[in-house]
Amino acid sequence: MPIRSLTLATLLLIAAPVFAADSDTPLAQDRGKSRPLVIIAPKADDPTLVSIRKVLEEPANREAFNQRNMVLYTLVGLEGKRNDKPLDTQATMALIREFSQGAGGKTRVVLIGKDGEKKMDADTLDPKEIFATIDKMPMREREAAAPVSAATPAAPAEKAPKAGKGGAPVLDD
């Protein structure tokens, strides 16, 4: 009996970090809800990061970003943010582990689908390319088609009654 308990305890000690590693990443909370765009840069004044932020601030790009249910993660050095709000240390370290990015790496742009799979990994951000990649995804095609099919045709407008003598309505049969 003690051997079984010891074996079970050992298995739990080995397996616990594996299960915790899956659940502690901030990307896990977005799975099925949004499409994370992760920008990884070695320092805040990185020219690629600065240009990416500028591109995403343009109203047309911001609108397209929001329409596609995207969230922006930035990982600059050892500081992580989600939609410009700081992540805690544990979440930031989970992102660093997930992308195998230590201090001093090169700038990367990674697009993650709603299914949690990596869809794109590039050195720069071309918004048209990212939006086109998302629009080709089966889930996005269903999202784009749903509002059109859900819309009901407009009912024909009712005719206003015609006024007869003395302002009394005349009924058409």
Side-chain angles (χ1 to χ4, degrees):
M1 187 71 170
I3 293 174
R4 287 184 198 163
S5 298
L6 183 60
T7 304
L8 182 60
T10 304
L11 285 174
L12 287 175
L13 285 173
I14 293 170
V18 173
F19 290 121
D22 283 343
S23 64
D24 71 348
T25 178
L27 299 178
Q29 72 181 1
D30 292 317
R31 190 170 289 138
K33 298 175 192 166
S34 58
R35 295 175 181 91
L37 180 66
V38 183
I39 302 171
I40 305 161
K43 52 188 177 176
D45 63 348
D46 183 78
T48 306
L49 179 62
V50 171
S51 68
I52 288 170
R53 286 182 193 249
K54 187 175 180 182
V55 164
L56 290 177
E57 287 175 0
E58 294 175 13
N61 291 333
R62 177 54 57 185
E63 172 89 15
F65 191 86
N66 291 335
Q67 285 177 346
R68 287 164 179 82
N69 298 327
M70 297 176 72
V71 293
L72 178 65
Y73 283 91
T74 53
L75 187 57
V76 180
L78 297 176
E79 179 184 329
K81 292 184 178 183
R82 181 182 189 272
N83 288 336
D84 290 327
K85 294 179 183 167
L87 293 171
D88 62 14
T89 305
Q90 182 179 359
T92 301
M93 291 302 136
L95 277 177
I96 291 171
R97 280 192 309 271
E98 182 154 345
F99 293 103
S100 301
Q101 183 74 18
K106 66 178 187 169
T107 302
R108 290 173 47 203
V109 178
V110 182
L111 175 64
I112 309 291
K114 281 189 174 182
D115 59 359
E117 297 293 318
K118 192 182 297 187
K119 304 297 182 184
M120 189 175 177
D121 193 341
D123 294 338
T124 61
L125 173 82
D126 178 10
K128 290 179 182 168
E129 181 182 347
I130 288 177
F131 298 147
T133 300
I134 291 172
D135 291 341
K136 290 177 190 173
M137 294 177 189
M139 191 175 283
R140 173 65 182 158
E141 289 174 353
R142 285 191 299 268
E143 289 172 356
V148 174
S149 64
T152 56
E158 294 184 23
K159 294 181 182 178
K162 296 178 186 176
K165 290 184 182 180
V170 176
L171 299 175
D172 289 336
D173 289 319

